[in-house]
């Protein structure tokens, strides 16, 4: 698990000497080693910079940049879990190895004449850049985009850059102006749908692809490999066992993030079969200040379940006492995520990763199950919608009466809005925190069409090919939501603590079982990820976990904002964001709705707070008033 920066200048004129390591901003991604290499031809120049977090084959021979100018040089971030199998495949081709690491395996694989076919056999998470002797650059990411990779081109088109994070691209002056559409998307969804990043000249490299750029121009990227269809597989239990067995291995200490939910418990069961004896880490709330606000939170306390599972599996459990007051951590969240982002779950994972880093360098997590096996409530909603006759939906929506209990009001409101929309809009609308009418009032400068364009494109492609609305939503989640939200914060939050986060449920064996089934087979009405849940019970997950309601991975945002929102909003609303992108008076009404308890808008308001900090940090320049206000709030609460 590492970080890298690649700079290509096709004028063959070397850039000015740097006053520091271009990878300095990525030191958290690689505290164990660094490497730099300059290469060039008659009319091109390349500089490769690398930071290493040593996890497999700790020997310096596996340091990077890896290779030679005569054959090619590679920088790479990730893990190849079936490296031992691929090593034997290559040895049969008379390839000799000088290390025991997966870096050399990927390097030699990429130099094979049939490398695109061999890439289809790789089980791993990866982002890499390979520079060949003639100056050709090949770069890409794993099937689902577990590992990040960003590309930028300067205004003159003379410098092309790749990086594991965006900050090195900013330091090199390659990001261009901020992208208001991405900022608006961050408020609408709490994350930014790829390929947008928040900067006009920076794009996320598409997941599941390898692209090629040729010297001297490097001005056009052409496809070199695209992940093929997953090999169909039926036995989820066998696939999970195989994936966990591969990913539990490392040359450093491996730990488990245990919530006591279905996914992490199944990981614990399979890890224990592989001889895992800890450490396991679980979160519990640490109250920092008394609160008089109503709880209003939909989450069930994980701690009792985590403790019970740990006892059952015989795992030593390390408790991480969370500072749940995430409002004062918004500046840290915005800085760490880099893209416009507003999901408070990332704050929880940052705290867990920091607490675990002294005891484990690798953490296994259950991320990805909901998207692959359709566990979110929105899948239930769309499954029901597509069973209703098209003529009946608008009439139903117009007459729907919102149930009495407040906890159901938000769900009923959203379902009522979905009834008024067509199937091409369900994919974005199930993930949005504003209706179309609300968005028109809040965002006079960035319209709904621009914000939802990527969702419509992906969903429309599925529907036009004859797919169902449920399969369109599932495809949107795999291509947009998973890499844009969960995998983004999984990578950023863990790597900020120099910890590698592995996601065994996104290993190739498990992906094959999910993609080999039609969407409607993955769930039953009233029970998300039903097929996955049945396999978990058959594999030894106890019933008290399997039948536990899904609670999410969150923080008490709603309660905190009801108690402190008025005081904070009086200052936050002065942000330039509400002059440049959003309407201040509309935002006032939205915040008041939540603070007065008229409607749950907690996450939407949290997203506006995050957007204000992001805008001041990136569009205005430097930490601004909103970050200062939240720092002052921290001092007030702690003091």
């Amino acid at each position: 698990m590492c970080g890298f920066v690649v700079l290509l200048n096709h004028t063959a004129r070397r850039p000015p000497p740097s006053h520091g390591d271009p990878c300095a901003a990525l030191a958290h991604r690689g505290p164990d080693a660094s490497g730099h290499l300059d290469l060039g031809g008659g009319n091109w120049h390349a500089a490769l910079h690398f930071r290493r977090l040593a996890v497999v084959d700790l020997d310096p021979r596996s340091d990077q940049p890896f290779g030679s100018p005569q054959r090619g040089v590679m920088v790479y971030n990730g893990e190849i879990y079936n490296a031992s199998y691929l090593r034997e495949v290559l040895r049969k081709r008379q390839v000799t190895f000088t290390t025991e690491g997966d870096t050399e395996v990927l390097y030699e694989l990429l130099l094979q004449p049939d490398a695109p076919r061999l890439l289809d056999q790789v089980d791993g998470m990866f982002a890499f850049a390979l520079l060949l002797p003639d100056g050709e650059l090949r770069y890409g990411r794993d099937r689902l985009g577990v590992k990040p990779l960003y590309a930028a081109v300067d205004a003159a088109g003379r410098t092309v850059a790749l990086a594991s994070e965006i900050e090195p691209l900013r330091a090199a002056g390659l990001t261009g102006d901020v992208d208001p559409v991405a900022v608006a998307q961050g408020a609408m969804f709490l994350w930014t749908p790829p390929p947008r990043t928040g900067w006009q000249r920076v794009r996320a490299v598409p997941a599941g692809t390898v692209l090629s750029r040729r010297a001297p121009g490097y001005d056009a990227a052409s496809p070199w490999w695209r992940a093929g269809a997953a090999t169909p597989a039926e036995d989820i239990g066998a696939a999970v066992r195989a994936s966990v067995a591969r990913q539990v291995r490392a040359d450093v200490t491996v730990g488990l993030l245990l919530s006591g939910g279905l996914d992490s418990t199944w990981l614990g069961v399979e890890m224990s079969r592989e001889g895992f004896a800890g450490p396991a880490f679980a979160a519990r709330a640490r109250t920092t200040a008394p609160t008089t606000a109503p709880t209003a939170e939909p989450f069930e306390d994980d701690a009792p379940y985590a403790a019970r599972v740990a006892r059952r599996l015989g795992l030593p459990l390390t408790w991480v006492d969370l500072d749940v007051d995430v409002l004062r951590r918004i500046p840290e969240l915005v800085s760490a995520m880099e893209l416009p982002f507003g999901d408070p779950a990332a704050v929880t994972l940052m705290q867990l990763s920091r607490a675990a880093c002294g005891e484990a360098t690798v953490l296994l997590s259950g991320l990805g199950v909901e998207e692959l096996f359709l566990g979110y409530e929105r899948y239930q909603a769309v499954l029901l919608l597509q069973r209703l006759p098209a003529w009946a939906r608008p009439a139903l929506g117009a007459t729907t009466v919102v149930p009495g209990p407040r906890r159901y009001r938000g769900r009923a409101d959203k379902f009522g809005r979905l009834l008024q929309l067509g199937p091409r809009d369900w994919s974005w609308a199930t993930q949005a925190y504003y209706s179309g009418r609300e968005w028109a009032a809040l965002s006079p400068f960035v319209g709904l069409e621009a914000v939802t364009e990527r969702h419509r494109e992906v969903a429309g492609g599925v529907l036009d090919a004859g797919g169902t609305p449920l399969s369109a939503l599932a495809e949107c989640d795999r291509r947009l939501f998973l890499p844009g939200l969960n995998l983004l914060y999984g990578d950023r939050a863990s790597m900020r603590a120099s910890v590698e986060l592995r996601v065994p449920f996104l290993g190739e064996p498990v992906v094959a079982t999910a993609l080999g089934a039609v969407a409607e087979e993955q769930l039953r009405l009233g029970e998300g990820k039903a097929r996955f849940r049945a396999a978990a019970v058959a594999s030894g997950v106890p019933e008290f976990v399997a039948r536990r309601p899904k609670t999410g991975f969150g923080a008490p945002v709603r309660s905190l904002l009801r108690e402190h929102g008025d005081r904070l909003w009086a200052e936050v609303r002065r942000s330039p964001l509400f002059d440049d992108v959003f309407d201040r008076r509309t935002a006032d009404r939205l915040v008041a709705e939540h603070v007065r308890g008229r409607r749950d808008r907690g996450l939407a308001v949290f997203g506006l707070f995050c957007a204000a900090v992001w805008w001041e940090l990136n569009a205005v320049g430097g930490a601004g008033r909103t970050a200062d206000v939240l720092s002052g709030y921290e001092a007030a609460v702690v003091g």
Side-chain angles (χ1 to χ4, degrees):
M1 187 65 66
C2 311
F4 62 79
V5 180
V6 177
L7 297 170
L8 298 158
N9 185 320
H10 75 251
T11 65
R13 179 170 50 83
R14 295 185 177 228
S18 173
H19 293 290
D21 176 6
C23 260
L26 300 182
H28 51 277
R29 298 189 74 92
D32 297 325
S34 64
H36 315 276
L37 187 64
D38 286 322
L39 296 169
N43 54 4
W44 61 273
H45 172 257
L48 294 84
H49 307 274
F50 181 78
R51 301 290 304 223
R52 184 184 184 196
L53 176 65
V55 170
V56 174
D57 188 22
L58 310 185
D59 193 288
R61 289 179 299 176
S62 283
D63 287 350
Q64 300 178 42
F66 190 91
S68 69
Q70 295 73 34
R71 300 185 68 212
V73 178
M74 184 183 77
V75 285
Y76 148 62
N77 167 32
E79 300 289 348
I80 305 301
Y81 302 121
N82 63 338
S84 58
Y85 163 75
L86 295 170
R87 185 185 297 269
E88 292 309 310
V89 170
L90 294 169
R91 277 181 173 150
K92 291 177 181 177
R93 301 183 176 200
Q94 309 308 311
V95 174
T96 58
F97 292 90
T98 61
T99 74
E100 297 300 318
D102 60 332
T103 298
E104 188 174 17
V105 171
L106 180 60
Y107 174 77
E108 293 291 349
L109 183 150
L110 291 171
L111 294 179
Q112 295 298 302
D114 59 342
R117 184 184 67 81
L118 291 174
L119 272 174
D120 287 334
Q121 301 180 41
V122 171
D123 176 20
M125 54 180 182
F126 59 81
F128 71 84
L130 173 67
L131 189 68
L132 297 172
D134 64 356
E136 180 188 355
L137 177 74
R138 295 174 184 168
Y139 59 98
R141 301 172 70 191
D142 58 77
R143 177 191 295 276
L144 295 174
V146 180
K147 289 293 96 190
L149 185 59
Y150 301 97
V153 181
D154 73 345
R158 295 187 305 192
T159 301
V160 175
L162 301 169
S164 299
E165 292 185 8
I166 297 171
E167 185 56 35
L169 302 176
R170 293 186 67 198
L174 297 173
T175 54
D177 294 334
V178 297
D179 178 3
V181 174
V183 178
Q185 289 174 323
M188 173 66 98
F189 303 116
L190 305 187
W191 54 279
T192 306
R196 291 186 185 272
T197 63
W199 287 267
Q200 292 185 359
R201 293 200 200 110
V202 181
R203 288 291 183 265
V205 174
T209 63
V210 174
L211 302 174
S212 171
R213 290 180 185 260
R214 293 186 177 274
Y218 295 118
D219 52 351
S222 57
W224 186 76
W225 170 80
R226 183 176 295 277
T231 303
E234 295 295 332
D235 191 337
I236 299 176
V240 169
R241 283 190 288 278
S243 190
V244 172
R246 289 175 178 177
Q247 297 196 30
V248 78
R249 301 189 187 108
D251 294 332
V252 293
T253 303
V254 175
L256 168 67
L257 292 178
L258 182 64
S259 69
L262 177 68
D263 310 336
S264 67
T265 298
W266 195 358
L267 283 185
V269 169
E270 300 300 341
M271 290 171 72
S272 296
R273 288 193 176 114
E274 293 294 319
F276 176 76
F281 303 91
R284 60 187 177 190
R286 172 171 59 86
T287 303
T288 56
T291 178
T292 59
T295 57
E297 304 297 341
F299 305 116
E300 185 177 13
D301 186 9
D302 282 338
Y305 290 93
R308 190 173 173 185
V309 169
R311 287 195 301 269
R312 188 180 184 107
L313 297 178
L315 296 177
L317 192 60
T318 298
W319 289 105
V320 178
D321 291 324
L322 299 179
D323 176 1
V324 296
D325 196 349
V326 295
L327 301 183
R328 63 182 181 225
R329 292 186 176 273
I330 286 176
E332 177 189 14
L333 169 69
V334 169
S335 177
M337 296 302 112
E338 295 193 300
L339 285 74
F341 187 93
D343 191 326
V347 177
T348 302
L349 186 55
M350 283 194 287
Q351 294 183 68
L352 277 165
S353 299
R354 276 197 294 267
C357 70
E359 299 181 53
T361 306
V362 174
L363 292 173
L364 266 61
S365 162
L367 279 177
V369 171
E370 310 303 326
E371 294 85 356
L372 281 188
F373 293 96
L374 312 195
Y376 294 122
E377 285 187 352
R378 58 178 174 264
Y379 301 123
Q380 301 283 328
V382 170
L383 181 62
L384 178 57
L385 284 167
Q386 73 182 31
R387 290 182 177 179
L388 293 172
W391 61 266
R393 295 177 200 137
L396 255 171
T399 59
T400 296
V401 177
V402 177
R406 182 176 293 171
R407 62 177 294 189
Y408 297 118
R409 178 173 293 178
R411 298 171 184 172
D413 284 350
K414 179 172 282 190
F415 190 74
R417 293 199 299 268
L418 292 173
L419 285 163
Q420 302 301 306
L421 298 172
R424 289 180 184 273
D425 291 311
W426 291 343
S427 292
W428 70 261
T430 55
Q431 300 175 7
Y433 285 87
Y434 300 94
S435 68
R437 181 177 298 178
E438 289 171 338
W439 186 257
L442 177 66
S443 179
F445 304 111
V446 182
L448 185 68
E449 289 290 330
V451 171
T452 62
E453 177 185 22
R454 189 75 178 109
H455 283 83
R456 293 173 188 267
E457 176 187 338
V458 174
V462 175
L463 294 170
D464 290 343
T468 65
L470 181 62
S471 61
L473 173 57
E475 185 70 5
C476 276
D477 276 4
R478 286 192 290 266
R479 290 176 56 185
L480 304 179
F481 181 85
L482 182 58
L485 176 68
N486 283 337
L487 293 179
L488 175 86
Y489 87 69
D491 174 84
R492 292 296 201 284
S494 60
M495 290 307 296
R496 283 279 156 168
S498 299
V499 170
E500 174 179 298
L501 191 75
R502 294 183 178 178
V503 282
F505 292 123
L506 298 184
E508 284 292 313
V510 185
V511 170
T513 68
L515 300 187
V518 300
E520 285 75 8
E521 293 177 357
Q522 302 286 19
L523 73 167
R524 290 191 292 270
L525 203 57
E527 183 182 6
K529 61 183 183 186
R531 187 164 162 259
F532 182 90
R533 190 182 309 274
V537 172
S539 296
V541 172
E543 285 285 345
F544 74 86
V545 171
R547 299 305 162 192
R548 177 190 170 190
K550 177 174 174 56
T551 62
F553 187 54
V557 168
R558 297 162 178 84
S559 301
L560 288 167
L561 284 170
R562 288 213 174 129
E563 184 167 9
H564 303 289
D566 261 344
R567 175 165 62 90
L568 290 174
W569 181 248
E571 298 295 331
V572 174
R573 70 182 301 276
R574 299 168 63 183
S575 167
L577 176 76
F578 301 102
D579 299 312
D580 302 335
V581 181
F582 297 129
D583 179 76
R584 185 174 280 109
R585 291 185 178 180
T586 301
D588 287 341
R589 290 195 296 271
L590 293 169
V591 174
E593 277 186 338
H594 183 78
V595 172
R596 307 288 181 268
R598 293 195 293 267
R599 189 176 171 193
D600 176 13
R601 305 306 297 256
L603 289 175
V605 174
F606 187 82
L608 289 177
F609 277 40
C610 292
V613 173
W614 194 96
W615 191 253
E616 292 170 22
L617 182 66
N618 297 291
V620 180
R625 181 181 189 86
T626 303
D628 292 340
V629 165
L630 295 170
S631 296
Y633 164 73
E634 178 180 3
V637 173
V638 173

